[in-house]
Amino acid sequence: MRRLPLLLLLAVGGCVPDGLTDFDFQALQPEPPPAELTGEVEIGTAEAEGLTVALSAERGGAHLGYVRLGVRVSEGGAAVPGARVTLSATADAGPAAGVALPVEAPTADAEGVLRGAVFLVTPDTTARQFTVRATVEAGGRTAEVAFPVEARNDLWMQPAGDLVATWVDPLRPIVGENRYVVAVHWWTGTAFEPVEGAEADLYPYMDMGGGDGHSTPYREAEAGRPGHYAWDVDFIMSGGWEMTVFVTPPGGARETARFVGYTVYEP
C-alpha cells in the first residue's frame, strides 16, 4: 500500500523556507558527485602461481558498508577464461579484528570480469583497515592473494545498537521510482549474522529549513536475500534527504539507523 508524504506539496510555495519570498529552488539541485565517487578504483594487484589478480572497487573505491568488487585474473597480459574466485575479508583492528565478514560470491560479467561484493562492516566506525583475500582456481592451479584495504567512513554503514545497517542500492538515487535496499546484520561479539524476519520500516524526509519539510511516497518493506530489506521509493525532488530505517528483530527492541545526507539527483 502506497504511503503519502508527511506534508503534501500542494504548491511550490509550500516548501519555501520561512521568511523567503523569492527563493532559488535550482540552488537545491545537488552538484554532480565528484569523479572519485562514481568510477571504479583499482585497489591493487598481486601475483601467485603465474597468475596476476587485480582487485577493484566500484563507487570510488572501498568504504565502510557494502562494497562492489571486481576481480580480473590474467596470465601474460591475457585474461584467463573460466577462472573461479572465492573472496573473504577480515578487519585488521577493532572489535571485529580477525572475524570473517559476509561476502557475495563473484560471477563473471560480459567482459569476463568477476563481480562480487563484500560487507566491510564493524560494530562501530573506528576500524577502517581490512584485508580482502582472493582464492583463485584456474587451469588446475590454486592461487591465494591478499589485498590491504583502507575503507573510508561515509554514509554507507550506520551502527544501530547491536545491529549494523548498510545501504546497498541504488548506487545513484534519482528523482522518481527507486528500489531502496539496505542489509542488516547482527554483531554477536564473534561474527556478523544477517537479521531475518525483522519488522522493517522506513521514513524518508527532506528538511527545507525554517521548520518546513516533507516526506515522499514509499511502499511497505519487502524482505529479499538474507538480511536484505527493500522499499519502492518515489522521490519527488532532488537534493539532500534523510533516510531513517527502523528495524525490530524477532523478540528484540526497535533500533534506528539514519542515513543523513542521502543525495537524490535529477535523472
Side-chain angles (χ1 to χ4, degrees):
M1 179 177 181
R2 181 175 289 272
R3 305 188 181 191
L4 296 177
L6 179 65
L7 298 177
L8 292 175
L9 298 179
L10 299 179
V12 172
C15 283
V16 177
D18 294 344
L20 296 180
T21 57
D22 185 13
F23 190 70
D24 181 10
F25 276 89
Q26 189 62 33
L28 290 175
Q29 309 306 310
E31 294 293 326
E36 64 268 19
L37 296 183
T38 58
E40 187 166 2
V41 175
E42 184 174 292
I43 292 176
T45 59
E47 295 187 2
E49 299 294 329
L51 301 173
T52 299
V53 183
L55 182 70
S56 60
E58 296 182 17
R59 187 66 181 187
H63 51 76
L64 291 180
Y66 181 82
V67 182
R68 291 171 170 82
L69 299 174
V71 182
R72 296 170 175 83
V73 182
S74 61
E75 184 175 15
V80 176
R84 299 181 59 187
V85 174
T86 303
L87 295 173
S88 66
T90 54
D92 294 345
V99 175
L101 305 177
V103 299
E104 294 182 0
T107 57
D109 65 11
E111 297 179 354
V113 178
L114 293 158
R115 300 285 180 185
V118 61
F119 288 88
L120 299 182
V121 290
T122 63
D124 51 41
T125 58
T126 59
R128 311 281 180 80
Q129 306 297 326
F130 298 83
T131 299
V132 174
R133 293 177 174 83
T135 300
V136 181
E137 298 178 11
R141 293 166 290 177
T142 299
E144 296 185 357
V145 294
F147 302 90
V149 175
E150 181 175 358
R152 68 179 189 272
N153 176 25
D154 50 23
L155 191 65
W156 297 80
M157 187 198 95
Q158 299 298 321
D162 291 329
L163 307 182
V164 174
T166 58
W167 162 24
V168 175
D169 279 313
L171 286 177
R172 188 178 188 275
I174 60 172
V175 174
E177 290 284 349
N178 293 255
R179 185 72 164 175
Y180 179 65
V181 182
V182 298
V184 185
H185 290 86
W186 282 109
W187 168 242
T188 68
T190 57
F192 291 95
E193 297 179 359
V195 176
E196 299 188 70
E199 179 182 336
D201 201 0
L202 172 71
Y203 183 62
Y205 179 76
M206 173 177 274
D207 185 354
M208 301 298 293
D212 291 330
H214 56 82
S215 186
T216 196
Y218 60 101
R219 297 184 184 275
E220 299 284 348
E222 296 180 5
R225 288 176 294 180
H228 287 61
Y229 299 89
W231 295 262
D232 290 326
V233 182
D234 186 4
F235 289 111
I236 57 179
M237 68 182 299
S238 60
W241 288 79
E242 299 176 9
M243 304 294 282
T244 302
V245 177
F246 304 100
V247 180
T248 306
R254 186 172 82 162
E255 302 288 358
T256 302
R258 296 180 67 236
F259 297 85
V260 178
Y262 183 90
T263 302
V264 174
Y265 299 92
E266 291 291 340

